[in-house]
Amino acid sequence: PPPLRYLSAADVVGCMPPLAERLALAERTMRALVADADLPPKIGIRARAPGTFGHAMPAYLRGSLKDGSADEMGMKCVTAAPSNNDRGLPVISAIVVLNDPLTALPIAILDGAPITAQRTAAVSGVAIRRYAPWADRPLRAAIIGAGTQARAHLPVLGHVVPGVELAVYDHRREPAEALVELAGQTDGIGRAAIAESAREAIDGADIVVTLATFTTPDRRQVMTLDWLASGALVVSVDYDTICAAEVAADAALFLVDDPGQFFANRDAGAFAGYPDPNASIGEALIGRTARPDGRVVVNHLGVGLADVVFGSAILAAAATDRGILLPR
């Protein structure tokens, strides 16, 4: 059997593709979801502690060779515990298991936390690069939530929207201050400042990226139409924690990463009042859907295929020089 390699978080970070390649991998994933991939909606359980859950996210991607040797197969297992913030522990943890596409034997186990952060930010980058509004001035962006995902989004914003001016809000002051400090060290980011409320951060923003911890708030869908500029792009990574249904309903274009997963979550009680999406991100990219006048809302819930695609690229970069070989 092939060797089974374990890559720690440090190994994964050391083998992470550069930003331009991450964006290409994210776009490839979104396009592949249209016709070339098999994956179910997330399979989930909920633990006793409030907001604590586990998801299994299997995925399969058909490659270009008829014998299947270029296919990609694997699964991410991700868990979240909101109370970990108070323990000084990561809220989200994950592992990614990659399988040989011909034998189905596992060939690698990767720490999934850095993959989750970077693949999510890259998908946001694909949407922002395609659907950010145009202006003859530096664009203004708002980031709601200043955790791991926010840190991963900074270089992406600086890359796809050079000179962007940033407003940050988090209900905890310390992470917001740390994010603003990091923004000042990030290529492509112009001015960055802390806002005193989510609404203040969003006021006048051309791009709104919502990254709140979606497992904890008692109130959901707090960002209503009157918060937003008429031509804003909203990239919602936290389900419907921040973005209200009326914003999606009023949008000139409403996209999701995986319609099947979106509908499954809506049937289960999330996204109350949300309309059907106009298309998936991949369909819009393949069809070259132009940016319309008015608001654009992009909601990506995260798909296991992105973790498998990123994980495969990381494993290839690791070759035989990184990680630990595990006995079978």
Side-chain angles (χ1 to χ4, degrees):
L4 177 61
R5 186 174 298 275
Y6 170 71
L7 298 179
S8 68
D11 295 323
V12 169
V13 171
C15 297
M16 186 69 66
L19 179 50
E21 186 177 342
R22 297 199 299 270
L23 290 168
L25 290 172
E27 181 161 341
R28 176 189 171 210
T29 301
M30 293 299 101
R31 291 173 177 268
L33 286 170
V34 177
D36 297 327
D38 292 328
L39 69 165
K42 295 173 186 175
I43 304 161
I45 53 94
R46 298 215 169 253
R48 188 190 304 263
T52 301
F53 67 80
H55 285 157
M57 300 164 63
Y60 180 73
L61 175 62
R62 288 176 287 277
S64 58
L65 301 180
K66 291 184 178 180
D67 67 355
S69 60
D71 296 356
E72 296 177 32
M73 178 180 179
M75 180 170 65
K76 180 168 84 168
C77 295
V78 58
T79 58
S83 57
N84 280 359
N85 270 328
D86 299 328
R87 300 185 179 102
L89 296 173
V91 171
I92 294 176
S93 57
I95 60 169
V96 176
V97 178
L98 300 178
N99 300 79
D100 179 273
L102 298 180
T103 66
L105 289 171
I107 55 175
I109 301 171
L110 293 75
D111 190 299
I115 298 174
T116 300
Q118 297 302 332
R119 62 83 151 143
T120 304
V123 172
S124 292
V126 169
I128 293 167
R129 182 170 60 185
R130 185 70 183 87
Y131 291 111
W134 181 89
D136 57 356
R137 54 168 174 76
L139 292 182
R140 299 179 59 197
I143 290 183
I144 308 303
T148 299
Q149 282 293 347
R151 294 192 292 274
H153 275 71
L154 284 181
V156 171
L157 276 167
H159 182 81
V160 299
V161 194
V164 62
E165 297 177 352
L166 193 62
V168 173
Y169 174 72
D170 192 289
H171 67 279
R172 298 165 298 155
R173 185 78 180 186
E174 187 175 343
E177 291 175 346
L179 189 68
V180 167
E181 182 177 355
L182 183 60
Q185 305 164 13
T186 302
D187 289 344
I189 302 290
R191 294 180 298 172
I194 296 175
E196 297 303 319
S197 67
R199 183 163 189 169
E200 178 184 309
I202 291 167
D203 185 35
D206 304 292
I207 302 164
V208 178
V209 185
T210 65
L211 302 165
T213 303
F214 59 80
T215 53
T216 52
D218 295 327
R219 296 177 60 224
R220 302 185 73 84
Q221 300 196 18
V222 296
M223 182 182 70
T224 49
L225 280 171
D226 56 323
W227 289 31
L228 290 160
S230 59
L233 165 65
V234 176
V235 179
S236 181
V237 186
D238 52 12
Y239 287 52
D240 63 338
T241 302
I242 300 296
C243 186
E246 66 181 57
V247 175
D250 185 71
L253 181 64
F254 173 38
L255 304 176
V256 298
D257 52 356
D258 181 7
Q261 185 178 178
F262 172 80
F263 292 136
N265 276 274
R266 192 175 64 180
D267 290 345
F271 300 106
Y274 267 64
D276 291 352
N278 298 111
S280 71
I281 299 171
E283 289 168 336
L285 293 170
I286 292 169
R288 298 184 178 182
T289 302
R291 192 198 196 284
D293 294 333
R295 298 183 190 89
V296 176
V297 174
V298 178
N299 193 298
H300 61 101
L301 290 74
V303 291
L305 184 64
D307 300 284
V308 170
V309 168
F310 271 63
S312 297
I314 289 164
L315 182 61
T320 59
D321 298 325
R322 291 267 192 172
I324 301 171
L325 289 182
L326 302 176
R328 289 187 178 273

